[in-house]
């Protein structure tokens, strides 16, 4: 239990800074730049998801529209944050690809029959 809270501490501190300094573009960017590495840890991703980090990042994207580096960094943060947790990482994408491929194949087979 104690080790888990130590691993979550950096994400909680960063989210606190992001919340406290909402209008400070440079602080938001520095925090965003630190997040992808920290979010590689599943425990940190769980804490960040539960703490509403996605909302904070989306707020930043809306608040600082003209900062292209911040926009890119925010997208990178969201990609890492929203990764599936656990052993099935990437499964959703593979399943979606397989089902969309099979439906295209079925549509292609059905089209000549309908014509």
């Amino acid at each position: 239990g104690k080790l888990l809270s130590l691993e979550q501490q950096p994400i909680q501190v960063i989210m606190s800074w992001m919340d406290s300094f909402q209008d400070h573009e440079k602080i938001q960017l520095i925090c965003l730049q630190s997040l992808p590495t920290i979010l590689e840890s599943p425990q940190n991703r769980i804490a960040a998801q539960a703490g509403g980090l996605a909302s904070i990042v989306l707020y930043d994207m809306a608040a600082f529209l003209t900062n292209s580096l911040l926009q890119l960094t925010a997208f990178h943060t969201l990609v890492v944050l929203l990764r599936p947790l656990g052993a099935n990482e990437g499964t959703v994408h593979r399943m979606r690809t397989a089902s969309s491929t099979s439906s295209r194949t079925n549509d292609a087979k059905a089209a000549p029959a309908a014509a």
Side-chain angles (χ1 to χ4, degrees):
K2 190 170 188 174
L3 182 60
L4 181 64
S5 67
L6 288 175
E7 285 183 33
Q8 289 179 349
Q9 190 177 8
I11 191 66
Q12 291 167 344
V13 169
I14 291 169
M15 288 174 63
S16 176
W17 289 344
M18 293 179 83
D19 191 45
S20 297
F21 298 99
Q22 289 179 26
D23 300 324
H24 296 268
E25 189 170 347
K26 288 185 180 183
I27 291 174
Q28 296 299 315
L29 179 58
I30 290 167
C31 289
L32 286 168
Q33 289 173 325
S34 71
L35 285 169
T37 302
I38 291 168
L39 292 171
E40 290 294 329
S41 159
Q43 291 87 2
N44 287 337
R45 273 206 313 279
I46 291 168
Q49 289 172 1
L53 179 60
S55 294
I56 296 171
V57 174
L58 291 170
Y59 172 87
D60 279 357
M61 293 177 79
F64 307 110
L65 286 171
T66 59
N67 187 329
S68 57
L69 179 58
L70 186 141
Q71 296 292 319
L72 181 65
T73 307
F75 273 122
H76 184 196
T77 299
L78 287 174
V79 166
V80 178
L81 175 65
L82 300 175
R83 275 188 195 153
L85 295 162
N88 295 328
E89 201 165 312
T91 309
V92 174
H93 182 266
R94 282 196 299 275
M95 289 171 56
R96 186 180 325 124
T97 303
S99 67
S100 66
T101 302
S102 62
S103 69
R104 270 185 266 147
T105 305
N106 292 339
D107 290 345
K109 289 179 185 173

